């Protein structure tokens, strides 16, 4: 039995599994390994310091796999935005034809990609945003439930309900994202597909320090926390000393300004967590799926194992349904 879905047909992949875009993690070695194993690997554009560096990363990925892979471009709320247009143009000129967009006001990027015959996946956390992206012409939606790492939005809707509402409201394929890290989660989302972010952090090809992988393996679903709630920019991160300090500052009478916590949540500190292996040095994203992760396989081992287990689960469900 093979796993064929609208997602596998549209993206030209064997298994309906997409590696979520993760800053500092979505690098050529990981993206290529996921694609080579049959899923869709994703390079994270903003992991690269410039559009030219992204070009080099795309070329490096192509040396490692001949399979399809994509590029994530996340539009961040920032005073000095990156050169989004430059990243997008560089990737298209390098022949990338699958893109994942996320964040604020993706309309111009989506228009550019569709004008260049690209497939666009857009990540969203609400049904109204999903319907808006559908009207803009995206091909696939990534529906992020409250369980996801990073930014789950401000409405706190769990994936089970959010995905059921998406089935009612949207007509294009969508990926289930957030809280999925094992075969049962993929089987539950099998009608379309599943995006795995946190799970791919804990693979041999993931570029993060082994100490952080070990920390993920040792963690439970209770080991994440939300920050930025009072700033209306909620993010789910690993519950470490820095995250708890941020939450305490946010709970002060009168609340907090971003300037009060900026020194704690800088991206540079988060990157050093992955590079140096100190889990308490800075903020790093993690979803509740950490509670489902208990080993550090290669991407090939992980995807083939998940594929086998999903097929078995679906067959078992089919047999039970006939009883």
């Amino acid at each position: 039995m093979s796993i064929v879905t609208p997602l596998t047909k549209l993206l030209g992949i064997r298994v309906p599994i997409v590696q979520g875009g993760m800053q500092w993690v979505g690098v050529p070695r990981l993206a290529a390994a996921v694609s080579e194993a049959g899923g869709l690997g994703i390079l994270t554009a903003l992991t690269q310091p410039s559009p030219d560096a992204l070009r080099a990363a795309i070329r490096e990925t192509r040396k490692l796999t001949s399979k399809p892979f994509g590029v994530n471009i996340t539009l961040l709320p920032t005073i000095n935005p990156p050169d989004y247009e430059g990243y997008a143009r560089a990737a298209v000129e390098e022949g990338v034809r699958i893109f994942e967009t996320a964040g604020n006001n993706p309309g111009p990027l989506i228009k550019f990609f569709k004008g260049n015959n690209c497939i666009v996946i857009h990540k969203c956390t609400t049904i109204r945003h999903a319907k808006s992206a559908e009207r803009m012409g995206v091909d696939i939606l990534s529906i992020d439930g409250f369980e996801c790492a990073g930014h789950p939005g401000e409405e706190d809707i769990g994936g089970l309900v959010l995905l059921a509402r998406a089935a009612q409201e949207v007509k294009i394929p969508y990926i289930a994202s957030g809280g999925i890290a094992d075969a049962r989660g993929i089987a539950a989302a099998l009608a379309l597909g599943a995006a795995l972010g946190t799970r791919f952090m804990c693979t041999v090809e993931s570029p993060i320090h082994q100490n952080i992988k070990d920390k993920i393996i040792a963690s439970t679903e209770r080991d994440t926390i939300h920050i930025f709630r009072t700033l209306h920019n909620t993010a789910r991160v690993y519950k470490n000393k820095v995250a708890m300090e941020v939450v305490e500052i946010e709970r002060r009478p009168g609340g907090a300004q971003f300037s009060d916590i900026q020194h704690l949540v800088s991206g540079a500190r988060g990157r050093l967590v992955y590079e140096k292996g100190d889990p308490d040095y800075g903020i790093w994203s993690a979803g509740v799926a950490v509670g489902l992760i208990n080993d550090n396989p290669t991407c090939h081992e992980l995807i083939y194992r998940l594929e086998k287990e999903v097929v078995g689960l679906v067959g078992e469900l089919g047999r039970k349904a006939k009883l």
Side-chain angles (χ1 to χ4, degrees):
M1 175 182 175
S2 59
I3 306 175
V4 179
T5 73
L7 189 74
T8 60
K9 293 177 181 178
L10 185 57
L11 298 178
I13 57 180
R14 197 189 79 253
V15 186
I17 294 176
V18 175
Q19 170 222 321
M22 299 173 282
Q23 192 166 13
W24 314 131
V25 182
V27 297
R29 185 182 180 211
L30 178 61
V34 173
S35 290
E36 194 66 14
L40 182 73
I42 299 284
L43 287 176
T44 313
L46 300 188
T47 294
Q48 304 301 325
S50 69
D52 282 342
L54 177 60
R55 289 181 186 274
I58 291 168
R59 293 171 187 175
E60 183 180 348
T61 306
R62 283 230 172 81
K63 292 178 181 178
L64 299 172
T65 184
S66 60
K67 307 288 179 60
F69 62 90
V71 168
N72 165 285
I73 300 182
T74 298
L75 298 126
L76 304 171
T78 179
I79 296 174
N80 298 305
D83 182 9
Y84 298 122
E85 182 180 341
Y87 281 107
R89 186 170 57 252
V92 168
E93 289 175 357
E94 289 298 319
V96 175
R97 288 298 176 265
I98 301 174
F99 289 89
E100 179 186 64
T101 58
N104 300 325
N105 189 26
L109 270 186
I110 292 170
K111 183 177 180 181
F112 172 74
F113 290 137
K114 294 308 299 178
N116 283 277
N117 299 314
C118 298
I119 294 172
V120 179
I121 305 167
H122 183 65
K123 185 176 293 187
C124 42
T125 60
T126 69
I127 297 303
R128 69 178 183 279
H129 290 154
K131 294 175 73 172
S132 175
E134 184 177 30
R135 288 193 297 271
M136 290 179 192
V138 305
D139 303 278
I140 302 167
L141 296 164
S142 177
I143 306 293
D144 278 21
F146 186 59
E147 306 89 340
C148 72
H151 296 279
E154 304 302 313
E155 297 188 358
D156 298 0
I157 307 298
L160 196 62
V161 171
L162 196 61
L163 293 165
R165 289 285 292 117
Q168 295 174 341
E169 296 284 348
V170 303
K171 297 179 175 62
I172 59 176
Y174 59 86
I175 304 167
S177 180
I180 298 174
D182 64 0
R184 292 187 182 279
I186 296 171
L190 190 56
L192 293 161
L196 282 65
T198 302
R199 185 62 188 93
F200 280 120
M201 290 173 68
C202 210
T203 56
V204 170
E205 293 88 354
S206 169
I208 67 178
H209 197 283
Q210 187 62 43
N211 287 354
I212 306 304
K213 296 179 186 181
D214 292 341
K215 178 64 73 172
I216 291 172
I217 290 169
S219 297
T220 76
E221 65 277 6
R222 299 185 301 276
D223 289 319
T224 71
I225 193 170
H226 282 128
I227 60 173
F228 303 156
R229 299 230 77 177
T230 62
L231 302 176
H232 307 292
N233 188 30
T234 302
R236 187 185 294 278
V237 299
Y238 192 80
K239 188 192 293 185
N240 63 8
K241 294 177 182 178
V242 180
M244 294 303 295
E245 185 176 350
V246 170
V247 170
E248 287 302 313
I249 293 172
E250 289 192 73
R251 287 174 178 168
R252 290 175 182 172
Q257 301 296 318
F258 182 72
S259 57
D260 298 328
I261 57 176
Q262 186 173 5
H263 64 292
L264 296 170
V265 302
S266 73
R269 286 185 65 162
R271 184 172 190 171
L272 285 174
V273 168
Y274 296 145
E275 291 180 359
K276 303 298 184 181
D278 180 355
D280 285 312
Y281 186 76
I283 296 296
W284 51 287
S285 294
V288 294
V290 292
L292 300 172
I293 298 170
N294 54 25
D295 65 351
N296 184 53
T298 66
C299 289
H300 182 275
E301 290 168 342
L302 175 63
I303 289 179
Y304 275 81
R305 183 176 73 201
L306 290 173
E307 183 180 20
K308 181 179 179 180
E309 291 175 355
V310 169
V311 170
L313 285 168
V314 172
E316 181 181 344
L317 289 171
R319 288 190 297 273
K320 288 181 178 179
K322 294 175 183 177
L323 296 178

